[in-house]
Amino acid sequence: MKEPLPSLLISIAEGVIDLGWGHPSPGLHPIALLKQATDHVLGGEEPTPLQYGAVQGFGPLLESLAAFLTSQPAYGFPVEPETLFLTAGASQGLDLCCTLFANAGDTVYVEEPTYYLVERIFEDHHLNVVGVPTDGAGLRTDALEEMLRSDSFPKPRLLYTIPAYQNPTGTVLSEGRRHELLRLADRHGFLVLADEVYQMLHYGPPPPRPLFGLDDSEAGVVISLGSFSKILSPGLRTGWIQANPRLIGRFLNAGLSVSGGGLNHFTSTLVHAAITLGLLAGNVALLRETYGGREDAMDRSIRARLGPKVSYKRPGGGYYFWLTFNGELDTEALQPIAQEVGVDFRPGNAFSLSGKFPHALRICFALYESERLDEGIGRLAKALESYDSMVHGLAAP
Amino acid sequence: MKEPLPSLLISIAEGVIDLGWGHPSPGLHPIALLKQATDHVLGGEEPTPLQYGAVQGFGPLLESLAAFLTSQPAYGFPVEPETLFLTAGASQGLDLCCTLFANAGDTVYVEEPTYYLVERIFEDHHLNVVGVPTDGAGLRTDALEEMLRSDSFPKPRLLYTIPAYQNPTGTVLSEGRRHELLRLADRHGFLVLADEVYQMLHYGPPPPRPLFGLDDSEAGVVISLGSFSKILSPGLRTGWIQANPRLIGRFLNAGLSVSGGGLNHFTSTLVHAAITLGLLAGNVALLRETYGGREDAMDRSIRARLGPKVSYKRPGGGYYFWLTFNGELDTEALQPIAQEVGVDFRPGNAFSLSGKFPHALRICFALYESERLDEGIGRLAKALESYDSMVHGLAAP
């Protein structure tokens, strides 16, 4: 008999604790919330949710989303509906940005390391991807400025950054560097694509404002990408773009949106219901509390079980810890050993085209509860022991 | 006070019968059906609908859709799930085809006239759009062959066609020409993008098979685009692509689908429920019956009220009549006069970049019930009288 075709993107072998997937916890999927929203939307005779939606996105959601973001401490500035455009998720928004704002052969700068799957989107658009160094405070704007002044690097049309709780490093771009980045974009004429899907997932004080909120250039140099995937449900494939209305105008003229109408209309009516019924705010608060507990648990597990073998910075938000091992450890060589003891992760070099992170790995604390996370870190510690004894074994002839 | 932002794409002035919009009837939006589907999907504790979906699309829908299409008389061949890929609607599918299968500067051939908004998608991808003549049996493959052999036309990378109940002309590409088109694609190395969203909306005998069902080339020269917009609800933004698994493989590697997962996962779980609960088949039958009645009513109205002033071919399916006026009538000049008497339409030249259709117009019978359609055609007749007397008035000094 043929295997049935998969339902989901995620696939984890039986018994394995796979810390590699950056996916939300199934137990936290707000099924009852969505049920309430759909009952609200489909309860009457109102056909609006099923018709072609407005080009900018479902108007009532543009308004309620603006109010919702304004109320979030991670925003901290009044969001205007005219600066929003609804997408079918951040990936779709990025794909559309490539279509509308770049040409084949153009260069896009990315953080090194960066979200590895985004590079595939850039490659599909025949863009040339160039890495910019990062450190514990995010993108190194000093290094960026040097690159922009040097003749050794092609000039960028776009720069892709994840300013808050970066994927994979968990770092937050400092406020000073945010201003510096915007100044460089304005001076050198590139557009910043800011992937800010973790912005509201802070487990302590909020990060600095999203980049759009700091952009005081006249024409706008930032497109901020938001998503309901991390704060409501990825299956809904619904997100937004925030940008200067001049840039929003280009999205309103896109063939894709004028032909099919709003990019995800029905799900937008559900999200609107979730906001107006007060359910989204409650869900974000619940996620912050739950993930905050897990982030704390993972931090304690790492300290207790891996101790001095790794260096890392506690992220304080988002989904990820980025561990860098001391010495000569190669995380790609560690991976099969880890898999054998029932744990998995993403090796550092999965996040870099230039292979600069052989000693690092990314682990996610969003998918499992604290106890499983601790068990996973325990298995990782065991894998490290096996690795060490293997290396020693090999070293001793 | 500011106007609220629009909820929908459609916008019709009070009292106007706007036959210009190619949108389904709000009264036919299956609200109760969707309610049943969401109750089914969200009724339990199953979190699958809310997680990131599989890259090819929600597996169970790939299977149920294959069985559904196989059962439709307009298909007439066994559809295999391996040949399907789920999209966020036909427009999104087309946009993705441009990203994956064309480069800036490439040429795409389109029917003349063609669906006017699709050209915006091609332009966003910097494709060069060239028209191919059509007649009452669709795309003129003889003219296409001449163009392919001539040095006066750039060679196409893509050819976009609407083989069944074409938008705007309502014509059906004959079976002979379908084979001819595929032969030409195979010989000259271009890919056929077949927009087959009206395939199941036949009000008499079904059209010939979709182009994919006739493609016996080894590598595959056709990407057939289907959609639930015309047979279930456009707001869901869910559709599919059918193609040779070699071509499907390229979609499975697209950055957009590997990053965000299935392109519209939650809505796909709803469509799957609609199929397995038997609701989709019932809805398609209802639409065929209802639109069939309207197509008949519009045909009778046109004959009774416009009579010998126009020539047209009854479409037998889809959404549209394409009327060509005798004599010197200019439908762009007629439009403001028509709007004054409370009716509207799309002038022929909206569907052609080369302005070859000044005497034609498109009217849609899907949005209104038969009585309103008749009233609309009556108003159009009145507008024609005003136009005639204006022209005569101008002619008589």
Side-chain angles (χ1 to χ4, degrees), chain B residues 2 15 66 69 79 92 106 113 152 173-174 184 203 251 269 271 293 306 320 364:
Chain B
K2 271 200 290 193
L69 294 177
V79 172
Q92 191 274 324
D106 281 350
S152 316
L173 187 65
S174 68
L184 291 171
Y203 313 131
F251 292 99
T269 67
V271 175
L306 305 179
Y320 308 107
C364 169

Side-chain angles (χ1 to χ4, degrees), chain A residues 147-165:
Chain A
M147 290 170 68
L148 292 167
R149 286 185 174 168
S150 152
D151 289 334
S152 316
F153 296 94
K155 301 301 164 218
R157 169 78 60 125
L158 304 172
L159 182 145
Y160 171 77
T161 175
I162 309 168
Y165 316 118

Side-chain angles (χ1 to χ4, degrees), chain B residues 273-310:
Chain B
I275 292 177
T276 54
L277 297 171
L279 302 172
L280 184 62
N283 198 58
V284 171
L286 172 71
L287 292 178
R288 275 208 287 262
E289 193 190 321
T290 311
Y291 290 149
R294 294 180 187 179
E295 190 246 11
D296 189 48
M298 190 173 251
D299 179 57
R300 276 182 288 120
S301 289
I302 296 169
R303 273 187 291 128
R305 297 181 182 280
L306 305 179
K309 290 182 176 170
V310 297

Side-chain angles (χ1 to χ4, degrees), chain A residues 91 113-119 160 162 166-168 195 351, chain B residues 259-260:
Chain A
S91 299
T114 191
Y115 170 48
Y116 65 120
L117 292 171
V118 80
E119 302 191 323
Y160 171 77
I162 309 168
Q166 204 245 11
N167 179 1
D195 186 343
F351 303 92
Chain B
S259 170

Side-chain angles (χ1 to χ4, degrees), chain A residues 52 91 115 124 230 235 255 259, chain B residues 50 52 91 115 124 230 235 255 259:
Chain A
Y52 286 102
S91 299
Y115 170 48
D124 285 345
K230 306 292 194 263
S259 171
Chain B
L50 303 189
Y52 286 102
S91 300
Y115 170 48
D124 286 345
K230 305 293 194 264
S259 170

